[in-house]
Amino acid sequence: MPALTGLRVIDLTRILAGPFCTQWLADHGAEVIKVEPPQGDDTRHWGPPFDPASGAASYFMGVNRNKRGIALDLRREEGRAVLRRLLARADVVIDNFKAGSMEAWGLGPDALQEEFPRLVQCRVTGFGADGPLGGLPGYDAVVQAQAGLMSVNGPESGEPTRLGIPLVDISVGMSSAIGILMALRERDVSGRGQFLDMTLYDAAVSILFPYGANYMMGGAVPRPVGNAHPNISPYETFPTRTVDIFVAAANDGQYRRLCDVLGCPELATDPRFETGPKRNGLRAELAALLRPRMAEWDGEELAKALMGAGVPAGPVMDVPGVLDHPHTKHRDMVVEIDGFRTLGNPIRMSRTPAEPGARRPPVFGQDTRAVLAESGYSGEEIEALLTAGAAFAAPV
């Protein structure tokens, strides 16, 4: 039985950060009810590609598995009444509405705390409700720029560059999952829920590592260093005869073994490179000496030789290569659900494993009728809600 079996989560989020969080909870057994607005989650339309079975874009499909899906218009009092009935039986509610939206509907943290004292509330916004940037909208790429991540990413001496993956959204999604579980653990002691104020900005600043630590201690303004590391050398990509590889010789022993594999032991004893700080101070000079030696190798063979010698190294893979790699398959990191392929869940538990392949992402309004019936609505009441436009359901 998955670890979170019995936990009930009402998911009012859309786009990425919130759905990423709730998908991880759902993979581990939580009953997640995804509540979409009348127009659906924006990402249903962020394609191509689109899933031929449901018509939803890959973006939506990638972060909404294992959830039941209903649709409500929370701008209507009838829709909010349905939500309150759902919350009465829930452990967690998570939303990513613009700051002030839930309060305007009478569903702010204080109101929900009073009505549902055991409910754990999590809100994900760009910057929070107050402060100099409070209330402003936040999107991953914009926050990457505002929180300094772009300033340290990209080629050396190049322009600031957005990270290729939406790391801020993913980071706040992970942080929210951790925070929710912390709040539930505390509830076991106090018997009371609490409100989690999660922001993209905070998450982005928290992962500004090691650049934030370097600046606060050393005072130098961090700049992009390409694929190199600001504190360690050699720790970057190198071209070979076949494919680029990344070499991460993070200590003196690994550096000496790297030189042995490359057949240049004289570089291991060269006084210029004998310690980590010296190597890092002469990063470009050292890389220029190592590149011609690595260029003679087949990249896969060199990475294997280095790993065999205890030097972390690996070929630079493209996405198809990773998804088809034997180790990806061995670790079950690609999951198939009724013909739909998606990425697996990395949290491995020995007694209560995740079940990422249990349920396809819901079509719009797929479970509205069933969830309303379970919440005590009669058939006539359900049809009245649908007719009034307070709720929406997939065609029967």
Side-chain angles (χ1 to χ4, degrees), residues 134-301:
L136 296 179
Y139 262 57
D140 178 279
V142 178
V143 175
Q144 284 191 33
Q146 291 175 284
L149 295 179
M150 283 178 58
S151 77
V152 296
N153 190 53
E156 191 168 3
S157 301
E159 65 179 20
T161 304
R162 180 180 71 87
L163 281 71
I165 62 171
L167 187 60
V168 175
D169 275 339
I170 291 171
S171 177
V172 76
M174 292 178 174
S175 299
S176 296
I178 295 169
I180 287 168
L181 297 178
M182 288 178 177
L184 290 169
R185 175 65 184 90
E186 193 279 336
R187 189 183 72 174
D188 291 341
V189 177
S190 68
R192 301 176 63 232
Q194 58 184 298
F195 176 68
L196 284 70
D197 177 17
M198 309 297 296
T199 76
L200 273 68
Y201 187 80
D202 293 352
V205 172
S206 77
I207 61 173
L208 196 58
F209 190 87
Y211 302 96
N214 288 350
Y215 172 71
M216 287 187 284
M217 184 170 290
V221 177
R223 301 297 183 194
V225 292
N227 288 327
H229 193 290
N231 297 61
I232 308 168
S233 182
Y235 198 103
E236 59 186 286
T237 52
F238 291 90
T240 71
R241 194 176 71 248
T242 53
V243 297
D244 287 356
I245 68 169
F246 198 100
V247 176
N251 58 49
D252 294 343
Q254 290 173 347
Y255 173 65
R256 288 193 296 270
R257 293 192 293 275
L258 167 66
C259 293
D260 288 342
V261 171
L262 294 176
C264 51
E266 69 281 1
L267 290 181
T269 58
D270 189 318
R272 295 175 296 170
F273 310 124
E274 62 186 354
T275 68
K278 287 185 176 181
R279 290 191 296 275
N280 201 43
L282 297 171
R283 183 189 304 118
E285 290 87 339
L286 178 57
L289 293 170
L290 295 174
R291 281 197 187 95
R293 292 169 169 84
M294 296 198 196
E296 300 172 359
W297 283 76
D298 172 279
E300 296 271 2
E301 292 179 0

Side-chain angles (χ1 to χ4, degrees), residues 327-341:
H327 198 71
T328 303
K329 296 176 181 178
H330 174 75
R331 298 293 299 177
D332 294 323
M333 284 307 297
V334 172
V335 178
E336 184 168 328
I337 316 172
D338 297 331
F340 161 61
R341 295 175 75 219

